[in-house]
Amino acid sequence: MDADSEGLLLLSDEPGWNEKLLQPRHEHRRVYWAQVERRPSAEALKQMQRGIVVKGRKTLPCHAWILEPQPEVPPREAPIRRRKTVPTCWLGLELIEGKNRQVRRMTAAIGHPTLRLIRAQIGQIELAGLRPGAWRVLSTAERRLLLKR
């Protein structure tokens, strides 16, 4: 995750976890919430779902939708840029790959730049209930579930 993004991180000192969790062939889904400028059309969302060419490579298909209701999230420490005449909208994106700045590049490619990006879920592990800066240890059951294909 880049320095401008927020949300769920899994930290481990166990060899092999990065490969199991990050390689697309293992199909670990990640859910992101992206606050973008303006409300994307259904066609723009379909374009992202089919895959978009980013830096000369087509992204894998994903699931993209408008979050309804729009999520209530704690304010960001470094506030996002706001323009009085440009509304914002929160999108949900479910990916199985995570290339460098992929979500930001995908939303920019459809004409809706990302203002704020939060990783809300990795596999079955959800951010829900954790405040910014908080952490917890995964249970044995969560660890098994996370590494299950």
Side-chain angles (χ1 to χ4, degrees):
M1 193 163 7
D2 63 41
D4 295 326
S5 300
E6 308 166 62
L8 185 61
L9 291 174
L10 295 177
L11 305 175
S12 173
D13 62 356
E14 297 178 44
W17 264 60
N18 275 350
E19 197 275 333
K20 289 177 182 174
L21 292 175
L22 298 177
Q23 292 301 318
R25 71 176 172 272
H26 295 291
E27 297 184 4
H28 273 87
R29 69 188 184 100
R30 297 170 226 12
V31 176
Y32 296 88
W33 294 350
Q35 186 179 23
V36 298
E37 287 187 349
R38 300 177 314 287
R39 185 181 182 95
S41 67
E43 182 52 40
L45 294 176
K46 285 180 190 172
Q47 186 180 358
M48 281 202 304
Q49 290 180 3
R50 290 188 297 262
I52 295 178
V53 176
V54 172
K55 296 194 95 174
R57 185 186 157 286
K58 189 172 183 180
T59 61
L60 293 176
C62 71
H63 181 58
W65 67 99
I66 293 175
L67 290 171
E68 295 291 354
Q70 298 282 280
E72 292 183 30
V73 296
R76 203 178 125 105
E77 202 155 303
I80 64 165
R81 92 172 172 261
R82 290 217 181 264
R83 297 192 292 175
K84 290 181 182 180
T85 59
V86 179
T88 65
C89 177
W90 282 94
L91 304 180
L93 292 113
E94 182 180 320
L95 310 171
I96 61 167
E97 66 178 340
K99 302 294 181 194
N100 184 39
R101 300 184 70 83
Q102 179 175 338
V103 170
R104 293 177 186 280
R105 289 184 172 127
M106 289 172 70
T107 63
I110 63 163
H112 297 273
T114 295
L115 302 171
R116 189 170 179 187
L117 182 60
I118 300 172
R119 183 166 41 211
Q121 189 172 347
I122 299 174
Q124 301 300 318
I125 309 301
E126 295 183 11
L127 180 63
L130 277 180
R131 304 295 299 163
W135 62 274
R136 68 178 182 83
V137 176
L138 295 179
S139 69
T140 303
E142 287 173 320
R143 291 168 48 86
R144 266 192 236 113
L145 187 61
L146 189 61
L147 293 175
K148 200 176 187 182
R149 251 184 120 166

